[in-house]
Amino acid sequence: MRWNLGLAYLAALLGCASEGLAADSSVVRDAETGFLFSEFRAAYAIGSSITFRVAVPSPAPANYDLVFQIISPVAVGWTGLAWGASMLNNPLTLGWASGSTPTVSVRRTSVRQQPAPWTGATATLLRTGTKVNGTHWQITAKCSGCSSFTTTGSTVKTLSATGSNRLAFAYSKTKPSSSSSAATISVHDVYSYWDHDFGAAGNIDFDSLVARNS
């Protein structure tokens, strides 16, 4: 099966046109970690969604670190964020649960095939906010290298810490082969885009919150 993008499938699920899937993100203070996040709930099936949250430092330095959170039903095999809103030429942060073990994996690809593990960005799981229970799995991770990255050639894309950025997600119902961050993953079943408001997710105490939750 080719690694192509099944937007038509999601549009059929939601009854939407292929370019009409973006929605505003909302703001939430996570009581467990203390981070102020902006969040988007991405539908992957009728009546089912995955929550993606982003927190950034305020003010944000150049090449700033960010914290992202994924809250997913256990029925989800794997899911992930594309920080450049594309499968190609940007960091992909994938998450899944293998039994009671949450896993995060950073990958990248320049062609439509299974993305390979990538060392150009680093995602570090935070102790608080990372868990699995009977209904959901959740990861909370700090990413270094997700806010600014090379796309093609020498072109650098930097995400605005004070405005909206186009992101994308992918979902597969098939679980990866293991809890290893280099595990083989299946082709995604659904993907879509949205505009995520980073400006609403500024945390003055970002560094201390990362330290407290690590």
mmCIF file of all heavy atoms in Angstrom, residues 89-106:
data_model
loop_
_atom_site.group_PDB
_atom_site.id
_atom_site.type_symbol
_atom_site.label_atom_id
_atom_site.label_comp_id
_atom_site.label_asym_id
_atom_site.label_seq_id
_atom_site.Cartn_x
_atom_site.Cartn_y
_atom_site.Cartn_z
ATOM 1 N N ASN A 89 9.187 16.337 4.563
ATOM 2 C CA ASN A 89 10.173 17.382 4.822
ATOM 3 C C ASN A 89 9.842 18.263 6.026
ATOM 4 O O ASN A 89 9.988 19.488 5.978
ATOM 5 C CB ASN A 89 10.356 18.256 3.570
ATOM 6 C CG ASN A 89 10.810 17.451 2.374
ATOM 7 O OD1 ASN A 89 11.729 16.643 2.478
ATOM 8 N ND2 ASN A 89 10.150 17.649 1.238
ATOM 9 N N ASN A 90 9.413 17.619 7.097
ATOM 10 C CA ASN A 90 9.217 18.327 8.364
ATOM 11 C C ASN A 90 9.209 17.298 9.493
ATOM 12 O O ASN A 90 9.037 16.099 9.256
ATOM 13 C CB ASN A 90 7.944 19.173 8.350
ATOM 14 C CG ASN A 90 6.651 18.380 8.288
ATOM 15 O OD1 ASN A 90 5.674 18.710 8.961
ATOM 16 N ND2 ASN A 90 6.590 17.318 7.493
ATOM 17 N N PRO A 91 9.394 17.745 10.743
ATOM 18 C CA PRO A 91 9.379 16.785 11.849
ATOM 19 C C PRO A 91 7.987 16.180 12.033
ATOM 20 O O PRO A 91 6.970 16.888 12.000
ATOM 21 C CB PRO A 91 9.765 17.634 13.068
ATOM 22 C CG PRO A 91 10.357 18.881 12.519
ATOM 23 C CD PRO A 91 9.708 19.111 11.203
ATOM 24 N N LEU A 92 7.957 14.882 12.265
ATOM 25 C CA LEU A 92 6.729 14.152 12.561
ATOM 26 C C LEU A 92 6.899 13.549 13.953
ATOM 27 O O LEU A 92 7.817 12.763 14.177
ATOM 28 C CB LEU A 92 6.504 13.043 11.534
ATOM 29 C CG LEU A 92 6.585 13.437 10.063
ATOM 30 C CD1 LEU A 92 6.546 12.188 9.175
ATOM 31 C CD2 LEU A 92 5.465 14.397 9.686
ATOM 32 N N THR A 93 6.042 13.932 14.890
ATOM 33 C CA THR A 93 6.109 13.364 16.232
ATOM 34 C C THR A 93 4.947 12.392 16.393
ATOM 35 O O THR A 93 3.791 12.790 16.397
ATOM 36 C CB THR A 93 6.069 14.454 17.312
ATOM 37 O OG1 THR A 93 4.985 15.356 17.068
ATOM 38 C CG2 THR A 93 7.371 15.236 17.326
ATOM 39 N N LEU A 94 5.281 11.111 16.500
ATOM 40 C CA LEU A 94 4.289 10.050 16.564
ATOM 41 C C LEU A 94 4.154 9.548 17.994
ATOM 42 O O LEU A 94 5.119 9.547 18.760
ATOM 43 C CB LEU A 94 4.699 8.877 15.669
ATOM 44 C CG LEU A 94 5.108 9.187 14.230
ATOM 45 C CD1 LEU A 94 5.358 7.890 13.480
ATOM 46 C CD2 LEU A 94 4.074 10.035 13.532
ATOM 47 N N GLY A 95 2.940 9.107 18.330
ATOM 48 C CA GLY A 95 2.712 8.537 19.642
ATOM 49 C C GLY A 95 1.836 7.306 19.560
ATOM 50 O O GLY A 95 0.998 7.180 18.666
ATOM 51 N N TRP A 96 2.057 6.380 20.491
ATOM 52 C CA TRP A 96 1.205 5.197 20.610
ATOM 53 C C TRP A 96 1.430 4.578 21.985
ATOM 54 O O TRP A 96 2.336 4.980 22.723
ATOM 55 C CB TRP A 96 1.491 4.183 19.509
ATOM 56 C CG TRP A 96 2.841 3.544 19.497
ATOM 57 C CD1 TRP A 96 3.248 2.418 20.178
ATOM 58 C CD2 TRP A 96 4.001 3.980 18.756
ATOM 59 N NE1 TRP A 96 4.562 2.128 19.901
ATOM 60 C CE2 TRP A 96 5.046 3.063 19.029
ATOM 61 C CE3 TRP A 96 4.244 5.044 17.887
ATOM 62 C CZ2 TRP A 96 6.313 3.190 18.482
ATOM 63 C CZ3 TRP A 96 5.503 5.188 17.334
ATOM 64 C CH2 TRP A 96 6.521 4.259 17.621
ATOM 65 N N ALA A 97 0.594 3.618 22.324
ATOM 66 C CA ALA A 97 0.758 2.869 23.563
ATOM 67 C C ALA A 97 0.932 1.400 23.225
ATOM 68 O O ALA A 97 0.163 0.838 22.448
ATOM 69 C CB ALA A 97 -0.440 3.061 24.481
ATOM 70 N N SER A 98 1.953 0.806 23.819
ATOM 71 C CA SER A 98 2.175 -0.633 23.692
ATOM 72 C C SER A 98 1.908 -1.228 25.069
ATOM 73 O O SER A 98 2.748 -1.137 25.966
ATOM 74 C CB SER A 98 3.605 -0.916 23.235
ATOM 75 O OG SER A 98 3.832 -2.296 23.104
ATOM 76 N N GLY A 99 0.713 -1.772 25.259
ATOM 77 C CA GLY A 99 0.315 -2.191 26.596
ATOM 78 C C GLY A 99 0.194 -0.978 27.488
ATOM 79 O O GLY A 99 -0.505 -0.015 27.184
ATOM 80 N N SER A 100 0.943 -0.972 28.586
ATOM 81 C CA SER A 100 0.913 0.157 29.514
ATOM 82 C C SER A 100 2.055 1.134 29.274
ATOM 83 O O SER A 100 2.276 2.039 30.090
ATOM 84 C CB SER A 100 0.988 -0.369 30.958
ATOM 85 O OG SER A 100 2.201 -1.084 31.168
ATOM 86 N N THR A 101 2.760 0.981 28.161
ATOM 87 C CA THR A 101 3.930 1.813 27.879
ATOM 88 C C THR A 101 3.636 2.840 26.800
ATOM 89 O O THR A 101 3.428 2.480 25.627
ATOM 90 C CB THR A 101 5.120 0.944 27.431
ATOM 91 O OG1 THR A 101 5.407 -0.031 28.427
ATOM 92 C CG2 THR A 101 6.357 1.803 27.183
ATOM 93 N N PRO A 102 3.594 4.142 27.129
ATOM 94 C CA PRO A 102 3.445 5.171 26.099
ATOM 95 C C PRO A 102 4.781 5.379 25.371
ATOM 96 O O PRO A 102 5.846 5.330 25.989
ATOM 97 C CB PRO A 102 3.051 6.428 26.880
ATOM 98 C CG PRO A 102 2.788 5.963 28.285
ATOM 99 C CD PRO A 102 3.580 4.715 28.475
ATOM 100 N N THR A 103 4.705 5.606 24.080
ATOM 101 C CA THR A 103 5.905 5.795 23.261
ATOM 102 C C THR A 103 5.773 7.051 22.430
ATOM 103 O O THR A 103 4.695 7.351 21.904
ATOM 104 C CB THR A 103 6.113 4.593 22.320
ATOM 105 O OG1 THR A 103 6.311 3.412 23.100
ATOM 106 C CG2 THR A 103 7.327 4.794 21.414
ATOM 107 N N VAL A 104 6.871 7.801 22.303
ATOM 108 C CA VAL A 104 6.933 8.923 21.377
ATOM 109 C C VAL A 104 8.096 8.682 20.427
ATOM 110 O O VAL A 104 9.133 8.130 20.824
ATOM 111 C CB VAL A 104 7.086 10.273 22.120
ATOM 112 C CG1 VAL A 104 8.421 10.379 22.831
ATOM 113 C CG2 VAL A 104 6.879 11.444 21.166
ATOM 114 N N SER A 105 7.912 9.048 19.168
ATOM 115 C CA SER A 105 8.922 8.804 18.144
ATOM 116 C C SER A 105 8.974 9.997 17.206
ATOM 117 O O SER A 105 7.930 10.470 16.749
ATOM 118 C CB SER A 105 8.566 7.539 17.357
ATOM 119 O OG SER A 105 9.492 7.305 16.305
ATOM 120 N N VAL A 106 10.184 10.491 16.932
ATOM 121 C CA VAL A 106 10.367 11.589 15.972
ATOM 122 C C VAL A 106 10.842 10.997 14.656
ATOM 123 O O VAL A 106 11.819 10.246 14.615
ATOM 124 C CB VAL A 106 11.390 12.620 16.474
ATOM 125 C CG1 VAL A 106 11.525 13.764 15.469
ATOM 126 C CG2 VAL A 106 10.983 13.158 17.834
#
